[in-house]
Amino acid sequence: MTDYPPISDQLSAAAEDPDSDVQDLESVREEGRRKMDWAAQHMPILTALRKEFEADRPFEGERIAMAMHVEAKTANLVELLADGGAEIAITGCNPLSTHDDVSAALDTHEHITSYAKRGVDSEEYYDAIHATLDLEPTITVDDGMDLVAAVHEDYPELIDGIVGGAEETTTGVHRLRAMDEDGALEYPVFAVNDTPMKRLFDNVHGTGESSLASIAMTTNLSWAGKNVVVAGYGYCGKGVAKKAAGQNANVIVTEVEPRRALEAHMEGYDVMPMAEAAEIGDVFLTTTGNRDVVVEEHFESMKDGVLLANAGHFDIEVDLEGLADLAVDTYEARDGVQAYELADGRRLNVIAEGRLVNLAAPIALGHPVEVMDQSFGIQAVCVREMVENGEAYGPGVHDVPDELDKEIAEIKLAAEDVEFDDLTDVQREYMGSWDHGT
Ligand code: RBV
């Protein structure tokens, strides 16, 4: 058992401290609820699933531990699962992405305990992860795999009671697959990230729009005419590049994978090594999921005033330790912007401490509501599938059944009043045959 307190206790204690600017808990919760209601108004998929889950109560008796970005859209997913019968303990999956008011609003629900708090240090972050596991979950829902890691490393005795899990993001799926290859993953986990309904929308449009919006709002700077260096041309990089080009930036892509480099080239972007891009870039945005993408040799050739931001999962894509070593001075240039001044006077500006810029910047709101409705719709039906058919899946990473992905697409199309065609019997037979040649 851990004794890490839920957000309500943390905020109540803070509100009593005369030096703190935390308001009374009731007002904080009301603001959180207001944000949730706004998001819910634009989440037709979760709204449709709510009707189903409230009627069927598919999660009755289940205990779900979750580590996700605790903000308004995620909160609607959490309540959906709770109102479908589950008992839930949730914490953040990034030290800076939690909205405390939303976390507090969630924590009022009879069947939800939220430990998420913004600005926690590394020890508190992991204490909160462990606190969710006190629930002895039957299901885990992760964004980045920190929960699965904590279960396997610190609480292996829980594994027998866990039916399965679901993973939200590219980096989490990547880590899970590495774990699976090592034979170390001991329960089934759905790769939610890899479904078309998630990755083609959330990773591309969500990351693109929200990263650029966060940077613009944090800096009050324009994209037009800037050289924007996008590191990595995966789904997230594609979105960032496309949206930056749409804002009249000159997009430069760096890649390590030849086909992706070629794809970016054929899309009309400049492709070059980071060492060259470093000399001409105005904004650097990493989306690789790897580490040490922008490092000392690059800092040394950058222009004065550049912006450095990360839209990949962890804060290791820009080598901040190396940058700190190089700097003669650092200071907060704006809320959410740390300036590193080098010996020759150049200032390199790091946004949101090199953490997920679309979620961790002070004014960040995460991906747009509509794309998270899709991603969380998949999460919800994956949890339902694990509860209903978990025994059909052995330990390891599993693709989400295509039928579930299509179910979410159909709910969304119906909500948007979009009708689409169906194959005729003749067409269906033709597509299944091999003997109709020229
Ligand atoms: N993401 N969540 C939000 N709740 O506002 N925004 C983005 C939100 C998820 C997204 O699905 C991505 O895969 C993951 O965050 C990266 O941590």
Side-chain angles (χ1 to χ4, degrees), residues 404-415:
L404 298 185
D405 206 44
K406 285 188 189 155
E407 176 186 339
I408 296 305
E410 282 170 10
I411 295 176
K412 174 78 177 193
L413 287 168

Side-chain angles (χ1 to χ4, degrees), residues 31-333:
E31 182 53 21
R33 173 60 54 186
R34 205 158 72 103
K35 289 182 179 175
M36 286 171 65
D37 288 347
W38 169 255
Q41 206 185 103
H42 302 274
M43 300 182 95
I45 299 170
L46 294 199
T47 304
L49 290 175
R50 175 174 281 267
K51 281 202 192 100
E52 176 195 320
F53 290 177
E54 279 178 353
D56 300 350
R57 306 272 298 169
F59 310 127
E60 200 77 66
E62 301 297 330
R63 297 181 301 279
I64 308 179
M66 305 177 74
M68 307 206 91
H69 301 295
V70 179
E71 54 71 62
K73 292 147 285 175
T74 311
N76 282 307
L77 169 67
V78 178
E79 274 203 348
L80 169 68
L81 298 175
D83 293 341
E87 195 67 37
I88 296 183
I90 180 162
T91 184
C93 65
N94 183 299
L96 292 180
S97 65
T98 297
H99 288 220
D100 287 356
D101 47 9
V102 173
S103 180
L106 265 187
D107 198 46
T108 57
H109 192 291
E110 204 189 336
H111 299 291
I112 300 170
T113 308
S114 178
Y115 298 96
K117 180 152 188 338
R118 186 172 198 273
V120 287
D121 62 25
S122 177
E123 194 183 331
E124 291 166 320
Y125 177 83
Y126 286 105
D127 282 351
I129 294 255
H130 292 165
T132 65
L133 296 177
D134 284 345
L135 186 67
E136 299 186 357
T138 55
I139 300 273
T140 60
V141 179
D142 246 322
D143 181 329
M145 207 205 83
D146 284 347
L147 264 184
V148 169
V151 166
H152 285 73
E153 283 164 11
D154 306 318
Y155 299 91
E157 67 279 10
L158 294 179
I159 290 170
D160 276 350
I162 296 180
V163 189
E167 168 56 53
E168 169 80 6
T169 202
T170 315
T171 292
V173 170
H174 189 82
R175 289 178 79 193
L176 283 165
R177 290 200 195 281
M179 199 174 169
D180 197 7
E181 269 163 35
D182 279 352
L185 180 57
E186 295 193 40
Y187 62 84
V189 182
F190 279 129
V192 170
N193 177 76
D194 294 359
T195 62
M197 280 297 284
K198 198 277 183 182
R199 162 152 93 176
L200 299 181
F201 301 89
D202 174 312
N203 303 31
V204 178
H205 297 282
T207 309
E209 289 186 23
S210 63
S211 300
L212 297 193
S214 268
I215 294 171
M217 294 297 289
T218 306
T219 61
N220 197 208
L221 297 174
S222 170
W223 292 105
K226 291 266 189 335
N227 288 336
V228 175
V229 180
V230 181
Y233 199 64
Y235 288 92
C236 294
K238 283 184 181 131
V240 170
K242 188 185 181 70
K243 308 281 171 174
Q247 297 268 34
N248 299 356
N250 308 311
V251 175
I252 297 165
V253 170
T254 70
E255 247 303 339
V256 293
E257 213 284 335
R259 290 156 301 181
R260 288 189 176 166
L262 184 57
E263 214 183 333
H265 169 71
M266 297 290 274
E267 203 59 43
Y269 303 128
D270 287 326
V271 179
M272 63 183 79
M274 182 59 86
E276 273 175 49
E279 294 172 14
I280 54 176
D282 298 302
V283 183
F284 296 80
L285 199 44
T286 53
T287 69
T288 71
N290 209 328
R291 58 178 307 145
D292 303 331
V293 178
V294 185
V295 296
E296 185 173 338
E297 62 158 312
H298 308 129
F299 302 139
E300 274 167 355
S301 58
M302 284 179 182
K303 299 193 283 190
D304 178 34
V306 298
L307 306 180
L308 302 171
N310 169 45
H313 193 76
F314 289 119
D315 59 340
I316 51 177
E317 304 212 11
V318 179
D319 176 18
L320 292 180
E321 281 177 26
L323 183 55
D325 287 347
L326 216 55
V328 293
D329 190 19
T330 68
Y331 58 93
E332 193 177 37

Side-chain angles (χ1 to χ4, degrees), residues 7-8 11-12 15 21-35 99-106 108:
I7 182 79
S8 305
L11 292 183
S12 301
D21 55 7
V22 174
Q23 292 175 316
D24 69 284
L25 191 55
E26 230 14 77
S27 329
V28 175
R29 284 172 169 162
E30 268 171 34
E31 182 53 21
R33 173 60 54 186
R34 205 158 72 103
K35 289 182 179 175
H99 288 220
D100 287 356
D101 47 9
V102 173
S103 180
L106 265 187
T108 57

Side-chain angles (χ1 to χ4, degrees), residues 8-19:
S8 305
D9 296 358
Q10 297 188 49
L11 292 183
S12 301
E16 278 168 26
D17 176 352
D19 294 334

